[in-house]
Amino acid sequence: MQNLLRRGGTYYARLFIPADRWADVGKAMDARAGVKRELVRTLQTGDIGEARRRLRTALSAMQAEVDAKLIAARKRPLTDWSASWVERAVALRDALKTASDEPVYGTWTERSEGPFFLADESERDLLLDSIGKETEQLAKVQGDAVAIAFRKAVTTEKITLREAADAWLPEVERSRRRKTAEGHRRVLGLLEEFLRERHGLLSLASTTFDEVTRRIAGEGIVTVTGSGSEIGDGQHWGHETAPRPALPPSLSRR
């Protein structure tokens, strides 16, 4: 694994910089040689399994660090995920769920006086720091409203509509026809558009259940289906009769 490096008895994360950006990154990060070909951060472990588990979090933090430095230097970031910020938020949220709180994560950073070691930082600490930097980047590109939604999608302790849908749809696919699940996905896409345009809720990934009142749910159903939607017992959902969203079984058992 090229991004995983072993020196002595300790494993390190290695982030490679594209050759055409060596000079930009070197200048942005005040590299003494004027160029920066890679970043290396200790994973503070000699266990290969633990190193692999920590690697993704470390690389995400390192990527965010480089991009933040480039933007501060008025240069193009290595990656521009701002147009697809929802998927980026979902990925970071997944990483944050598994990040350790144990203060066993050290990092080497470049300073004018030489490498500087920061001790007693956990995976979660570093990931939250990188999320903050990415939020600042997104605000500059997409505006404060999107940046706020992005951070909420990543860090909220409540279950989001996207999270519930991602857990529920596979259950639908296993128990019913695939076309049924595809239909549900189309409806969820229309619901997301409705919430964004009518209520300023930018994404299902940043919208929690307590934000969708009974009235909003009813309006959404009427808008998406064109009329009250019939459910199993013949009852129709409307503005006043729509139930509050329910969690899928896999999430309600948490």
Side-chain angles (χ1 to χ4, degrees), residues 74-137:
R74 300 185 180 278
K75 296 183 182 295
R76 177 173 53 86
L78 295 181
T79 56
D80 183 9
W81 48 265
S82 58
S84 55
W85 64 269
V86 172
E87 297 310 315
R88 177 64 174 168
V90 171
L92 286 173
R93 182 171 177 81
D94 288 342
L96 195 60
K97 287 177 184 177
T98 59
S100 172
D101 286 316
E102 293 296 319
V104 295
Y105 206 144
T107 61
W108 288 99
T109 60
E110 291 285 347
R111 300 290 171 86
S112 57
E113 65 272 17
F116 183 80
F117 188 71
L118 299 174
D120 295 333
E121 289 192 295
S122 69
E123 288 181 306
R124 186 176 180 84
D125 291 334
L126 290 179
L127 192 54
L128 286 171
D129 183 59
S130 72
I131 289 166
K133 292 174 182 176
E134 293 195 16
T135 301
E136 293 175 2
Q137 295 172 31

Side-chain angles (χ1 to χ4, degrees), residues 137-175:
Q137 295 172 31
L138 190 59
K140 294 176 182 178
V141 177
Q142 296 272 31
D144 289 342
V146 171
I148 291 170
F150 169 77
R151 186 171 184 85
K152 179 183 174 187
V154 178
T155 61
T156 182
E157 295 182 358
K158 298 179 180 179
I159 295 173
T160 66
L161 299 190
R162 167 67 181 267
E163 199 170 17
D166 285 348
W168 172 60
L169 287 171
E171 295 178 5
V172 173
E173 288 183 333
R174 286 193 295 269
S175 61

Side-chain angles (χ1 to χ4, degrees), residues 57-70:
T57 301
L59 291 174
S60 293
M62 293 158 72
Q63 181 76 67
E65 178 185 351
V66 173
D67 284 345
K69 293 286 188 180
L70 286 168

